[in-house]
Amino acid sequence: MYGNIHQNNAQWRMARCFNFTSSELHKLLTKAKSGSGMSKTAETYIFDKLAETLTNGDCLNYTQADSKEIRWGHYWESEARFRYEDATGVSVETCGYIPYNDFFGGSPDGLVGEDGGIEIKCPYNSAVHVRYLMMTEPKDLQEFKPEYYAQIQGNLLTTGRQWFDFVAFDPRMKNEAQQLKVLRIPRDEEFIARCIEALEAAQEVRRKYESKLIEML
């Protein structure tokens, strides 16, 4: 049984606090402009995690996003999950934060059977949903939304499962058949190996910074 803490509440935020997560894994995979070393995006993400540690999570009260796009996505997520179950005939088990190790984990939007899971996106911009409707292969998602591809592969790493369905939902599509898009994303072992390498490198840098901060006290 996986974690049963519901997503997007205080318990869930503290469960994943201090850790690198699947939803932001793409930040660690960005390349430095100089062609070597760690990118500014990755370094900034490491400092975000350091700040969470040094404030015991209190900084999250000031950095949690609350935009109309995020509120839209949260509002329609349950309906998207229901529509997915109805369309596929499977049951989805909701779960909370799932740790992979002591510095990385993920929060899948649902688990399916013994081998699968789902990642739900309800885009505020319907033009984005139309792009999702056009996707036919996993590489399409990787090219259009690499951050979501990384998130799914991170959740596959965390759960040890074999596939996740990328589920996009937009209730504004007049044709009901176009409201839901399901694209199966299998494990990408080569990509997952890159993720592990990036996570280990980031954790090493983070530990060095932590040691330096202690020395400066």
Side-chain angles (χ1 to χ4, degrees), residues 13-142:
R13 290 189 180 97
M14 287 308 298
R16 69 200 292 271
C17 195
F18 322 128
N19 298 322
F20 300 118
T21 62
S22 293
S23 61
E24 298 183 289
L25 180 57
H26 66 280
K27 296 178 180 179
L28 299 180
L29 299 172
T30 56
K31 296 181 179 180
K33 291 184 178 180
S34 62
S36 62
M38 183 164 287
S39 71
K40 290 295 183 182
T41 300
E43 187 175 47
T44 297
Y45 185 35
I46 292 171
F47 275 102
D48 287 342
K49 297 294 111 177
L50 285 168
E52 290 176 14
T53 300
L54 295 176
T55 65
N56 196 32
D58 284 350
C59 66
L60 293 175
N61 295 330
Y62 301 93
T63 61
Q64 290 300 316
D66 185 29
S67 65
K68 61 181 181 296
E69 292 84 1
I70 290 176
R71 290 194 296 270
W72 173 272
H74 289 168
Y75 181 83
W76 287 107
E77 182 177 311
S78 294
E79 177 65 17
R81 188 180 291 107
F82 170 78
R83 293 284 293 275
Y84 171 82
E85 290 179 320
D86 186 59
T88 61
V90 301
S91 296
V92 176
E93 176 188 2
T94 57
C95 60
Y97 176 75
I98 302 173
Y100 172 71
N101 55 25
D102 62 354
F103 60 86
F104 174 68
S107 303
D109 288 330
L111 301 174
V112 180
E114 298 295 325
D115 296 320
I118 61 171
E119 183 60 41
I120 298 171
K121 301 300 178 186
C122 303
Y124 186 78
N125 185 340
S126 289
V128 173
H129 185 74
V130 174
R131 292 286 294 268
Y132 292 151
L133 291 175
M134 299 291 292
M135 293 181 179
T136 59
E137 301 179 11
K139 69 176 183 179
D140 296 332
L141 178 64
Q142 187 175 11

Side-chain angles (χ1 to χ4, degrees), residues 176-191:
E176 188 172 320
Q178 294 176 324
Q179 292 177 357
L180 185 76
K181 172 68 178 183
V182 178
L183 180 66
R184 180 147 301 184
I185 311 294
R187 286 180 72 91
D188 183 339
E189 297 295 354
E190 183 177 347
F191 189 92

